[in-house]
Amino acid sequence: MLELMDFETKHKPRPHVNAFVRLHHGITEEQRVQAAEKAGWNVFQFPSEMLCGGDLLSDSGTTSMTTEQLSALILGDEAYGSNWGYFKLLEAIERNFGLNIDEWEVYIFHQARAAEHALFSHITGENLTIPANSFFDTTRANAEANNIEALDLVSDKIKSDKTHPFKGNIDIDALKEVIVNKGGNIPLVYLTITNNTGGGQPVSMQNIKEVRRICDENSIPFFLDACRFAENAWFIKQREEAYSEKSIADIVREEFSYAEGFTISFKKDGLANMGGALLIRKDSKITNRYPDIFDKLRDHQILVEGHPTYGGLSGRDIMTIAVGLDTVVQERYLNGRIGQVHEFGSYMAELGIPVIEPFGGHAVYIDSDEFFKDTNIKRKDFGGISLTALLLIKGIRLCELGAFAFGVYNPDTGEEKFPPYNFIRAAVPRNKYEIQDLYYVADCIKALYDRRDMIPKAVPVWGREKALRHFKARFELC
Ligand code: F0G
């Protein structure tokens, strides 16, 4: 019998079924235009309940939770000190990250940026630089707000290579050079796995290991931004020969074994809707430069978040993270999750939409410069903003992460300084959409790609000069 059934199929079942659904309201395109105008065509200000296609603004906190997580949520213990879930969370971190929790300082925060803020506020000194593969926008902003230079070190060669399996890798030669030049002014080195800003691209284990080695040689602490640690591990298994036979669980443990500290948002690979943390090894080199950092961080946490055992989270949220961490490292889950992102990306590529390849783990990135290459739209016209604005009318939300989001306007000269990347990101929430929803998104983008000559410019009418302007600015399309 099994021989008869020995065949492969083009389509595979998802690793889950729907346990709940949310019905869309009957919103018209005219109503969406009105709402978008009211929102100044800023996608962040657009009411999400008016979206009927894919809300691909972010994969962060947008997860549909599993029934296991939802049932754990009910068990949440809302005690003011040492709630039950806190201990469950520590166990889940130990089990999944392979840490002996007694050797670590654990600080829970309501989300990762609060953890980053705490860390960077206590890294003090003159002319400090933190090298990374790439900083995420809020991570960079938190470093810069504390007068620390946030230095991205992904090589142009890697960026332009369509076949490179680990486009998130830090450029090792560039890192060595920075260490020679800035030596004593580097309080730590940071690796973001996967590299969100650079297209959701993975970092190889070899790269992680090598960075740790270089850091040890130079007595510099090594930290991870581990938001998408499980998706990164999946790529290592797929693409790094020495790991093809290892389990995801083992690869995850190895990733963390090299880190002396890490920040993490449980809104990504915690499969939860809220949560973040900062963990630092008690014997980390960071205490050489900052001997009282643990005390300072603990006080900071209590001042702004709450008791260390809940750190800004409800007991219910904590329970969902504890359970989510056990699910996210399952290969079956990751095959479905990253498989869906890749199917979405491949369909866009088939339609001729200029997307960044190979695809990353959580999102498909459209190359905005390529998209508008043969039109009148130049970087200063913020075509990516226009595209995301127009898609709102079709009930779809994407995010511009390029000329506008990462550009800087000088009001004195009227000049814009543009970032190296100019992308539009379609981030896929976990466990939420079916491929049909994503095909619809791709079809709408394709229709606009075919009409790209007619896409209007986006003119910022408010907030152009502000920091983190993409969250706040208002536009007119003309
Ligand atoms: N680091 C990375 C790599 C991220 O992608 C994010 C968030 C953070 C840190 C901050 O985490 O939201 O919990 O404070 N990224 C989301 C995104 C917001 O849409 O990519 P947080």
Side-chain angles (χ1 to χ4, degrees):
M1 199 70 93
L2 284 179
E3 260 168 45
L4 174 66
M5 305 312 289
D6 185 17
F7 52 79
E8 285 291 321
T9 54
K10 182 172 168 206
H11 302 293
K12 306 272 187 276
R14 291 179 293 156
H16 56 257
V17 292
N18 301 355
F20 298 94
V21 292
R22 183 198 296 277
L23 296 179
H24 291 309
H25 308 303
I27 305 284
T28 64
E29 292 188 356
E30 286 73 18
Q31 286 172 315
R32 288 203 200 95
V33 170
Q34 269 179 10
E37 276 171 349
K38 197 168 160 209
W41 295 101
N42 183 321
V43 292
F44 287 93
Q45 312 295 341
F46 189 84
S48 67
E49 46 111 15
M50 296 185 86
L51 299 166
C52 70
D55 185 358
L56 309 188
L57 182 65
S58 177
D59 65 316
S60 176
T62 52
T63 309
S64 294
M65 285 198 279
T66 62
T67 46
E68 284 83 358
Q69 283 176 294
L70 290 173
S71 51
L73 183 141
I74 301 295
L75 299 176
D77 168 14
E78 304 304 336
Y80 188 55
S82 298
N83 70 88
W84 185 60
Y86 173 69
F87 301 102
K88 291 277 145 211
L89 178 60
L90 294 186
E91 281 165 29
I93 290 175
E94 264 199 320
R95 185 165 58 243
N96 290 298
F97 299 175
L99 316 178
N100 175 356
I101 214 75
D102 295 336
E103 294 171 1
W104 290 73
E105 292 288 332
V106 182
Y107 307 90
I108 307 174
F109 289 92
H110 74 277
Q111 62 185 105
R113 66 198 66 187
E116 293 156 7
H117 180 73
L119 176 65
F120 295 142
S121 327
H122 295 99
I123 289 182
T124 47
E126 296 292 306
N127 300 320
L128 297 182
T129 296
I130 300 184
N133 46 350
S134 295
F135 281 81
F136 180 65
D137 58 4
T138 58
T139 321
R140 166 178 296 283
N142 267 309
E144 289 173 353
N146 288 297
N147 291 322
I148 300 168
E149 182 194 18
L151 187 64
D152 288 353
L153 293 177
V154 175
S155 78
D156 287 340
K157 211 172 105 213
I158 295 184
K159 265 189 258 174
S160 59
D161 182 348
K162 272 199 163 187
T163 57
H164 198 293
F166 291 103
K167 285 175 87 161
N169 281 358
I170 197 167
D171 182 333
I172 294 287
D173 291 337
L175 175 64
K176 286 182 182 161
E177 202 183 311
V178 171
I179 291 175
V180 169
N181 294 334
K182 308 213 171 185
N185 291 344
I186 300 179
L188 56 96
V189 174
Y190 214 38
L191 263 189
T192 309
I193 59 171
T194 56
N195 182 357
N196 186 7
T197 307
Q201 299 291 332
V203 177
S204 70
M205 193 71 88
Q206 195 193 350
N207 199 249
I208 298 175
K209 251 194 255 185
E210 183 73 357
V211 175
R212 172 68 199 248
R213 195 185 55 75
I214 294 167
C215 283
D216 282 352
E217 275 172 17
N218 292 279
S219 300
I220 300 172
F222 171 50
F223 276 53
L224 288 175
D225 173 338
C227 289
R228 299 179 180 84
F229 67 93
E231 291 171 6
N232 199 76
W234 185 89
F235 283 106
I236 288 175
K237 181 171 168 82
Q238 297 289 319
R239 299 185 182 170
E240 208 165 338
E241 219 183 320
Y243 293 87
S244 61
E245 298 300 321
K246 295 217 161 140
S247 69
I248 297 287
D250 281 346
I251 298 172
V252 164
R253 289 188 201 112
E254 186 172 339
E255 281 175 341
F256 282 102
S257 73
Y258 299 115
E260 280 175 69
F262 59 92
T263 50
I264 186 164
S265 170
F266 295 122
K267 300 172 74 172
K268 286 86 174 169
D269 277 353
L271 296 183
N273 298 133
M274 198 43 81
L278 163 65
L279 278 87
I280 309 181
R281 270 186 204 282
K282 288 180 177 161
D283 66 357
S284 164
K285 295 190 278 298
I286 200 158
T287 55
N288 299 345
R289 189 193 279 255
Y290 304 106
D292 53 358
I293 192 164
F294 296 146
D295 276 348
K296 284 189 165 162
L297 283 169
R298 193 62 75 204
D299 291 348
H300 176 111
Q301 186 194 29
I302 296 170
L303 277 179
V304 302
E305 293 279 283
H307 188 261
T309 54
Y310 73 87
L313 289 167
S314 72
R316 294 183 174 200
D317 287 318
I318 293 176
M319 288 300 291
T320 66
I321 302 165
V323 175
L325 289 176
D326 283 344
T327 305
V328 80
V329 296
Q330 290 175 19
E331 193 169 347
R332 208 155 42 91
Y333 157 76
L334 286 166
N335 285 340
R337 153 72 177 155
I338 301 179
Q340 187 191 55
V341 173
H342 287 204
E343 196 170 338
F344 175 38
S346 305
Y347 182 58
M348 288 227 256
E350 248 170 60
L351 294 176
I353 301 165
V355 284
I356 303 299
E357 289 182 72
F359 304 116
H362 69 291
V364 178
Y365 292 66
I366 299 165
D367 185 332
S368 200
D369 292 336
E370 273 297 308
F371 192 98
F372 291 105
K373 191 172 64 183
D374 50 6
T375 71
N376 289 332
I377 297 218
K378 304 293 164 245
R379 277 193 168 193
K380 65 178 176 32
D381 303 316
F382 305 121
I385 296 286
S386 306
L387 179 66
T388 57
L390 292 173
L391 286 169
L392 291 175
I393 303 172
K394 288 288 180 195
I396 292 167
R397 179 154 65 172
L398 267 54
C399 188
E400 194 262 10
L401 290 177
F404 193 77
F406 302 137
V408 180
Y409 180 64
N410 181 337
D412 296 331
T413 62
E415 271 173 31
E416 284 281 344
K417 191 169 162 245
F418 295 118
Y421 300 109
N422 194 17
F423 297 154
I424 300 152
R425 186 184 72 172
V428 183
R430 296 168 181 79
N431 291 338
K432 186 162 184 182
Y433 289 110
E434 297 183 19
I435 191 68
Q436 178 186 352
D437 301 308
L438 305 180
Y439 285 154
Y440 169 69
V441 171
D443 288 344
C444 289
I445 297 171
K446 162 70 172 157
L448 284 169
Y449 186 50
D450 291 344
R451 298 157 184 226
R452 56 193 180 279
D453 276 341
M454 294 187 289
I455 294 183
K457 298 173 180 176
V459 179
V461 290
W462 188 86
R464 184 176 194 155
E465 71 293 349
K466 305 246 179 240
L468 297 168
R469 60 187 184 171
H470 53 306
F471 294 116
K472 306 176 280 199
R474 298 179 66 82
F475 303 93
E476 273 171 15
L477 302 184
C478 35

